[in-house]
Amino acid sequence: MKQIQHPFALALGALSLLLLAACGPTESAQVPEQRPVTVRTAPVSMGTQVAEPLRFSGIVQARQRATLTFQISGNLVERSIELGERVEAGDVLARLYNPGLEPARASARARLKELSTQLDQSQREWDRSSQLQEKGVVSVQALEQLAARRDGLLASVATAEAALAEANHMLDESILRAPFGGRVEALLVEKDEFVAAGQPVVRLSSPDGREVEVRIPAFLLNQVSLGQLMPVWSVQTRGAVPVTGSVTEIAQAGSVRGELHPVLVSLPENTLQPGEPVEVGIVPNVQGEISVPVLAVMQATGGNSIFRITDGYAQRVPVTVHRIIGEQVVVSSESLEQGDQVVYAGLTRLADGDAVEILQ
């Protein structure tokens, strides 16, 4: 005879099986451990421990150079040089014709001769009158008048001599001479052209000595000193070893906001050529200030911060950013010290308190 099982008995049996399964030897589920975040770190620097120098661009130029002009106007009647020609100091480069120069000198010469003749005559008259005055023939008043006329003519002669010297000088200015030995860089006026006074005519440069001028902001001027050595890279060959230049001139800071100030750097002989674009490196001195890599600083609504590694864990530290110097940024913080390790790579996967693994 078949037995009919009650539904309550079936439910009780299923419950018993569940209890036995719960008390069995199977292992309970475990929460997986969080893996450390892989990051790269860099130490907090202080003082002059800035990794890379700041680079400022410039063009190599001759140390001794000049743009020559006439001090008078006229037509260029002679130009005895060619582009790139080597000249010596005192060589005639060009001549100018001004129709008023020769007559002005002739007039000044004639005026001087006339006044000199009158002065000689006045001197003889005074000598004769002086002898007659001793004999009582000529009065003292007449002798004084002759002396006054003689002295006036003497002053006029001096003025005429100065006018003749000026006329000779102006005539000499019609001849353009090389002030030093060098090469002709540019010819700015063609023959038979009219040249105004002060108009550039020839550009000359000496092949001896090279220099480069760079312009830097005012806050870097106190980081540069005369004789300081600086690396100079050629833009055309960036992979080459830099040339070492020396600072020869430093401008003074002006009152114009944002103005850049020139610094002149002398280059070694037979290195870089004039016209070559270069970059001059300046390593700023930040004594008493701490700096971290630019990539280590995170910007957020609550302010800037960095992650410092302490005992293998990341700790968010607020910082105040002052200025960027190359690949470093100068910051201030109450808890950062020189030598602390800060994260500069792997920040996007990092949170405050995370365990980290530092890649070397």
Side-chain angles (χ1 to χ4, degrees), residues 122 132 219 223 262:
S122 178
L132 294 175
F219 78 90
Q223 313 291 336

Side-chain angles (χ1 to χ4, degrees), residues 26-183:
T26 57
E27 296 181 356
S28 59
Q30 295 181 354
V31 178
E33 295 183 359
Q34 183 181 6
R35 298 183 60 183
V37 180
T38 302
V39 297
R40 292 184 182 275
T41 63
V44 175
S45 303
M46 179 174 288
T48 59
Q49 300 180 21
V50 178
E52 292 292 334
L54 302 178
R55 297 194 180 195
F56 296 89
S57 60
I59 302 295
V60 177
Q61 56 191 4
R63 188 177 306 162
Q64 189 176 21
R65 59 196 181 278
T67 300
L68 307 181
T69 65
F70 288 103
Q71 298 303 309
I72 58 173
S73 59
N75 292 329
L76 191 69
V77 295
E78 178 184 341
R79 197 189 68 187
S80 55
I81 54 173
E82 298 296 336
L83 189 64
E85 182 178 345
R86 179 69 184 263
V87 296
E88 299 297 333
D91 288 352
V92 175
L93 306 180
R95 293 180 185 270
L96 200 68
Y97 173 70
N98 187 311
L101 296 180
E102 285 288 355
R105 184 173 66 172
S107 176
R109 186 182 289 124
R111 179 61 176 167
L112 176 61
K113 184 177 181 180
E114 177 187 3
L115 292 173
S116 298
T117 301
Q118 293 178 7
L119 177 61
D120 292 341
Q121 177 64 28
S122 178
Q123 182 65 41
R124 288 193 297 269
E125 290 180 359
W126 185 87
D127 291 339
R128 287 193 300 268
S129 298
S130 178
Q131 295 175 0
L132 294 175
Q133 193 274 332
E134 292 178 356
K135 297 178 181 180
V137 178
V138 177
S139 65
V140 176
Q141 182 180 2
L143 186 63
E144 290 177 349
Q145 291 176 350
L146 290 174
R149 182 173 182 274
R150 179 200 60 189
D151 294 341
L153 287 172
L154 185 63
S156 298
V157 167
T159 302
E161 289 176 344
L164 179 59
E166 181 182 4
N168 287 327
H169 178 71
M170 296 300 290
L171 198 60
D172 290 340
E173 286 296 327
S174 65
I175 302 175
L176 191 63
R177 300 181 183 274
F180 54 85
R183 293 190 181 277

